[in-house]
Amino acid sequence: MFNLEKITRTNIKALKGYSSARDEFKGVAEVYLDANENPFGTLNRYPDPKQIKVKKRLSELKNVESEQIFIGNGSDEVIDLAFRIFCEPGKDKALTFSPTYGMYDVSAAINNVELIKQPLLADFQINLNQLQPYLEMDEVKLIFICSPNNPTGNCFNDDSITYILENFNGMVIIDEAYIDFSSRASYITKLEASPNLIISQTFSKAWGLAGVRVGAAYANSEIINLYNKVKPPYNVSTLNQNAVLESLNSIAQFEINKNIIINEKEKLVKEFSTLKIVTKIYPSEANFILVEVTNANTIYSNLVEQKIITRNRNTLVANCLRITIGSAEENTKLINALKQL
Ligand SMILES: *Cc1c(COP(=O)(O)O)cnc(C)c1O
């Protein structure tokens, strides 16, 4: 049985989070002399530590309660806080499926937590048989499931994810950074049924706000309470909260841009399939394509010479480049450059 008390670090259970000036007074006052702010300027006040407006809009959009939402300084913060809340440094472990997003590794190392890297099968799906012993280890506290997965582009089978959710007594973090580009549904709808689930999403990809640094975690409110205790009190700036609110008010534009990117992806796949240097195109549920080429290092360097930067993933998947879907103009430049090779 999953037990949140049991998997939370003792010091975090005992922690009383920082209570900011704006936490203690609720309402609207005329004179604010509580936070040593400067009375002059337009960004002179501390931001809303609870990001109430952003959460309200997101709760409508995602059909969850505000209490089930954590807003982070990018989803990198969602990942880092998971280690800090659940993993005793030097003792507990986390698990991920490789190849995947590099930040799990970095965050684990920063927190002095061993990361078990379970290799994906040849079709980039999860090997449940090999996973089974880890599901039963008490010191394994976190499993990161990146779906759609970066850099492979595929989603994991629902059966595998459900099996892990139902048979693992630690926390399962499903990283849905690319979910908006995918034909698959978000696991947000599974929150009620899954007490050990955290969903991580971001404004950096489909929302086009990578420069803003805002990510979100969705989980049951007891888990979100732990996040709220551990986060720095003013972790999302006023500028960042406003940028996200503005973008949440232009859902139509979000849909238009997302569909352009998805159409451009189809176009790129067609073009790639005509190129001799491309030996395999992996199906993608994201805004990038993993392509196997005749020689990734050479082709990567040739593109760099033409001032086109792709991601060389040769060390993760032999001879593969991960290519982000750009604008129509950028994609045409890429195709023209590849045709010259
Ligand atoms: C890009 C990406 C993110 C986004 O991270 P932010 O800190 O929100 O910019 C998260 N997870 C994965 C797998 C990604 O590829």
Side-chain angles (χ1 to χ4, degrees), residues 73-76 101 104 146 150 175 177-178 202 204-205 213-215:
N73 183 14
S75 36
D76 291 344
Y101 186 43
Y104 311 131
C146 183
N150 174 7
D175 187 337
Y178 300 98
T202 179
S204 298
K205 307 289 156 64
R213 310 305 307 132
V214 175

